[in-house]
Amino acid sequence: MSITAKNIKKTFGRYTALDGVSLEVPTGKLVALLGPSGSGKTTLLRIIAGLEFADTGSGGIFFDGEDVTQVPAGQRGVGFVFQHYALFRHLTVAENIAFGLKIRRRSERPTKKAIAEKVAELLHLIQLEDLGGRYPVQLSGGQRQRVALARALAIEPKVLLLDEPFGALDAKVRKDLRRWLRRFQDEIGLTTIFVTHDQEEALEIADEVVVMNNARIEQVGAPQEVYDRPTSSFVHRFLGNVNQITLPWGGLIDGSTAHVEDGVAFVRPHDIELVHFSEDRDGEAAVVYDIHAAGPVARVSARREGNNESVEIELPRSQLALLRLVEGDCVLLRARPKHPPVSEYAI
Amino acid sequence: MGLLKKKTVLPGFGLSLGFTLFYLSLIVLIPLSAVFLRTTELSWDEFIAAVFSPRALASYRISFLASLTAALVNAFFGLILAWVLVRYPFPGKRVVDALVDLPFALPTAVAGITLTALFSANGWFGEWLEGTLGLKIAYAEPGIVVALTFIGLPFVVRTLQPVIEELEPELEEASAILGASRWQTLRKIVFPQLVPALLTGFALAFARALGEYGSVVFISGNMPLRTEITPLLIVTKLLQYDYAGATAVASAMLAASFVLLLLINLLQRWSRRYQNAN
């Protein structure tokens, strides 16, 4: 089911959480709402879920073109997963999952047997078959979040909304769980929106990333697209590391990957090429002051000759070895061309 | 006593436990055992006769039934009061909040006299209740319940308030989004979380009501076999220099109260089973 949000406005007192936001989520896609805290992403998700209502004068929320703006949360058919799980502590795992089915009116409620089968099926899906009788306090964070997901899925929602679903988990569990979510979403094709402030998470699993800042949407696009071609300085700064280089800069060439805005060029560390200084080549002169070579890529820090601005460059370790670079070396820097000819890779 | 030998990062366990036991003995156990000691002045037959005399039995019935009723009333209305005080902003909320503690501070005799004045046949409430509806409150059993309800109210409200404040709003949202009605959410999600605190408040109000004397003597009429509560019977015996008889009745009351409070405690532990399932 597709989700449309039209011109959503939301203020809390004098604070504007959403300033006329419109969003289109196609059926079956996994979409990330990405932004710093306070950017309005959670508020947008909660308005889509029906947990919060947009200010009067907003456009509204549509599921498959149908206006659900006035429909209460419980009747929108959404599955919602909270950041801190929000599991019912006094109920067992199985009872938590069955809750949404058990409370239905008698005429709509599945039989006891059908509920038990559904619970078993979901426990199998989240790989917690043996823990149905446990209470939430007896589970780890990752297990709790999977139970929360199963509980949301039990009512067979038409859309799945997740609010910072992995935010409270440690790094390893986080990674496993988000890949699991991606595979799961691929299998059942449920339209899914998840909120995150972690750009790595958004870029890794989303079909489409919606970058939000200051109550507005900055950019919408595939992960590759928003990362490679940010349309604003905010997106540039927020997604991945970036050098902010004050112009004029000798290393700026036409057709480079640099994004220029208000006299500042934004260039990612891996989009800067580095060669030893020589008079007959173009580029910005700089002095290397730090080389950090742990991990798969080497990180070189250099200071521009002109204004002492610091620039970070990332390059493969093999290339660093070929360059025989040492601290104090004088180098030339330039932004990498968008489509470098093969020969450019030769040093 | 594995805990005494086990190494722990929390220092001072031995010292603090020693102090706790010493203090409890000094304040609670020694005075209470004096009660039981005094009863040994009686022979077994005399003891039985004092404890199970018709007048004593009637007083137990009145004391426990009235205390239980008052605690139940307090549990129900205290829950509503605490809920309103925590959940809704309204003008004068602080004043209302402070009013809840008044029964704690008011000398119980003052409460008793005031309530009697209100509920007696020519009082504000009593005139209407007795004159129009024919309900006799003061100088009858309902009067005792009224007095005990008055003094027990703060216990329920004050034990519930922090628990209601701590309730996570997400739980109610999660329930609503799963399709539960407001009533279902209150009954199946909110209420179960309040039960342990509600039981604590109930037990406190009940225990306080059992021991209450000052306010009840004014409103109950104190008719032996009909509206005489056990604490009053004890005082009456004391005034007649029947110390052994008074302590016999007191020890019976103590034993019964202890068993009841223990039961409530077990019930409370059971209602929290999911919290310490590990």
Side-chain angles (χ1 to χ4, degrees):
Chain A
M1 185 153 83
S2 74
I3 303 167
T4 310
K6 273 188 197 153
N7 190 27
I8 300 297
K9 292 180 191 135
K10 178 75 183 173
T11 50
F12 295 102
R14 284 164 58 193
Y15 173 74
T16 304
L18 292 171
D19 189 8
V21 166
S22 296
L23 180 68
E24 188 82 39
V25 178
T27 307
K29 289 280 190 254
L30 178 61
V31 172
L33 292 182
L34 174 67
S37 49
S39 57
K41 54 193 191 308
T42 294
T43 308
L44 180 58
L45 192 80
R46 289 173 59 87
I47 288 175
I48 293 172
L51 292 174
E52 209 94 60
F53 290 92
D55 293 346
T56 45
S58 300
I61 303 291
F62 302 83
F63 286 177
D64 264 347
E66 192 188 327
D67 190 350
V68 296
T69 317
Q70 301 303 326
V71 178
Q75 288 158 34
R76 287 195 188 184
V78 296
F80 198 96
V81 176
F82 293 84
Q83 180 176 8
H84 297 291
Y85 330 122
L87 292 178
F88 307 133
R89 266 165 299 187
H90 60 289
L91 301 179
T92 63
V93 167
E95 287 167 341
N96 262 282
I97 297 173
F99 184 82
L101 299 173
K102 275 190 187 162
I103 52 160
R104 284 189 184 165
R105 245 173 284 138
R106 198 178 292 269
S107 54
E108 296 161 25
R109 196 191 310 151
T111 61
K112 272 196 171 151
K113 192 162 159 277
I115 293 178
E117 276 166 13
K118 184 83 194 166
V119 169
E121 178 195 322
L122 285 162
L123 281 172
H124 175 74
L125 177 81
I126 58 169
Q127 298 149 21
L128 294 178
E129 287 98 333
D130 303 330
L131 304 186
R134 296 262 185 105
Y135 285 103
V137 283
Q138 295 168 298
L139 304 181
S140 71
Q143 290 172 331
R144 283 182 211 182
Q145 194 57 296
R146 278 183 278 163
V147 174
L149 191 65
R151 185 180 67 181
L153 293 172
I155 59 168
E156 293 178 1
K158 290 165 283 180
V159 298
L160 183 60
L161 308 173
L162 307 105
D163 183 12
E164 304 249 3
F166 317 119
L169 304 171
D170 60 68
K172 168 89 173 88
V173 180
R174 217 179 151 109
K175 232 170 204 168
D176 291 348
L177 208 50
R178 74 185 185 219
R179 287 186 184 154
W180 180 83
L181 175 70
R182 177 71 259 193
R183 281 199 306 278
F184 165 77
Q185 208 275 339
D186 280 339
E187 276 165 33
I188 67 166
L190 193 61
T191 310
T192 305
I193 304 180
F194 77 102
V195 158
T196 181
H197 60 259
D198 182 346
Q199 38 123 342
E200 190 190 322
E201 195 167 287
L203 295 177
E204 183 178 327
I205 65 170
D207 293 314
E208 202 168 70
V209 178
V210 177
V211 186
M212 293 190 66
N213 183 38
N214 263 334
R216 287 172 177 281
I217 290 177
E218 291 270 342
Q219 189 176 358
V220 181
Q224 193 77 42
E225 189 186 328
V226 291
Y227 185 81
D228 286 345
R229 286 185 292 285
T231 52
S232 71
S233 59
F234 170 79
V235 180
H236 234 307
R237 273 195 304 270
F238 192 69
L239 285 182
N241 293 326
V242 73
N243 287 300
Q244 295 182 55
I245 296 163
T246 318
L247 299 178
W249 191 51
L252 187 70
I253 55 162
D254 285 343
S256 78
T257 46
H259 168 83
V260 181
E261 199 176 298
D262 294 333
V264 177
F266 294 87
V267 196
R268 299 206 182 280
H270 56 78
D271 280 336
I272 294 184
E273 292 177 323
L274 175 152
V275 288
H276 278 288
F277 184 81
S278 69
E279 290 290 348
D280 52 341
R281 291 175 93 154
D282 285 338
E284 178 79 6
V287 178
V288 174
Y289 70 89
D290 187 42
I291 299 172
H292 184 82
V297 289
R299 218 171 51 231
V300 175
S301 303
R303 224 182 285 287
R304 289 173 63 185
E305 293 273 76
N307 61 1
N308 266 347
E309 208 169 59
S310 184
V311 178
E312 260 193 26
I313 306 106
E314 276 175 13
L315 66 175
R317 298 256 307 264
S318 54
Q319 199 183 338
L320 184 76
L322 281 173
L323 281 165
R324 286 181 226 280
L325 208 60
V326 290
E327 285 169 25
D329 275 359
C330 207
V331 291
L332 281 177
L333 305 176
R334 66 167 194 178
R336 193 187 300 279
K338 259 183 194 149
H339 304 289
V342 181
S343 63
E344 284 281 333
Y345 284 102
I347 294 173
Chain B
M1 295 300 275
L3 198 57
L4 282 175
K5 293 209 178 98
K6 217 162 51 185
K7 276 214 165 178
T8 161
V9 285
L10 293 176
F13 175 67
L15 186 68
S16 55
L17 181 70
F19 177 77
T20 305
L21 291 180
F22 169 73
Y23 188 79
L24 267 181
S25 307
L26 202 67
I27 299 290
V28 180
L29 281 180
I30 292 177
L32 286 190
S33 47
V35 171
F36 287 98
L37 212 64
R38 202 67 197 254
T39 60
T40 55
E41 288 172 10
L42 296 172
S43 72
W44 179 247
D45 288 340
E46 283 170 329
F47 177 77
I48 294 292
V51 169
F52 293 104
S53 74
R55 190 173 167 187
L57 287 177
S59 81
Y60 304 144
R61 191 186 66 84
I62 293 162
S63 264
F64 280 99
L65 275 182
S67 300
L68 208 63
T69 313
L72 282 171
V73 170
N74 273 329
F76 182 75
F77 289 102
L79 173 63
I80 297 176
L81 199 57
W83 183 265
V84 170
L85 280 174
V86 173
R87 282 294 170 106
Y88 307 105
F90 57 90
K93 180 168 168 168
R94 277 168 190 276
V95 179
V96 176
D97 198 59
L99 274 179
V100 170
D101 283 332
L102 218 55
F104 272 151
L106 206 63
T108 48
V110 177
I113 293 166
T114 315
L115 290 172
T116 311
L118 278 176
F119 284 99
S120 62
N122 47 11
W124 288 353
F125 296 165
E127 201 171 20
W128 180 72
L129 283 169
E130 212 171 321
T132 316
L133 298 178
L135 275 175
K136 193 171 163 59
I137 306 289
Y139 312 122
E141 281 178 28
I144 305 175
V145 175
V146 168
L148 296 180
T149 306
F150 176 80
I151 51 125
L153 176 72
F155 292 98
V156 175
V157 177
R158 291 294 179 237
T159 44
L160 275 173
Q161 264 178 327
V163 182
I164 297 175
E165 273 164 21
E166 292 295 307
L167 286 177
E168 297 169 56
E170 282 96 19
L171 293 182
E172 286 163 61
E173 289 178 351
S175 171
I177 215 165
L178 287 167
S181 67
R182 187 65 192 146
W183 172 241
Q184 282 175 317
T185 301
L186 284 176
R187 197 161 54 91
K188 300 196 173 206
I189 303 303
V190 176
F191 187 68
Q193 295 185 78
L194 299 182
V195 165
L198 193 62
L199 281 172
T200 305
F202 174 81
L204 286 172
F206 177 63
R208 175 76 181 83
L210 276 179
E212 173 61 12
Y213 168 79
S215 59
V216 179
V217 289
F218 290 98
I219 200 170
S220 69
N222 307 324
M223 283 167 287
L225 298 174
R226 294 203 16 228
T227 59
E228 187 181 50
I229 55 167
T230 310
L232 179 70
L233 177 64
I234 295 168
V235 173
T236 311
K237 279 184 184 287
L238 288 176
L239 290 176
Q240 293 160 349
Y241 303 105
D242 180 9
Y243 294 129
T247 53
V249 173
S251 53
M253 177 103 170
L254 262 177
S257 311
F258 185 74
V259 169
L260 275 174
L261 290 174
L262 199 68
L263 282 177
I264 296 174
N265 237 306
L266 288 175
L267 194 64
Q268 200 220 24
R269 172 177 285 204
W270 175 80
S271 72
R272 281 192 323 192
R273 65 203 178 284
Y274 55 87
Q275 276 174 12
N276 27 28
N278 274 333

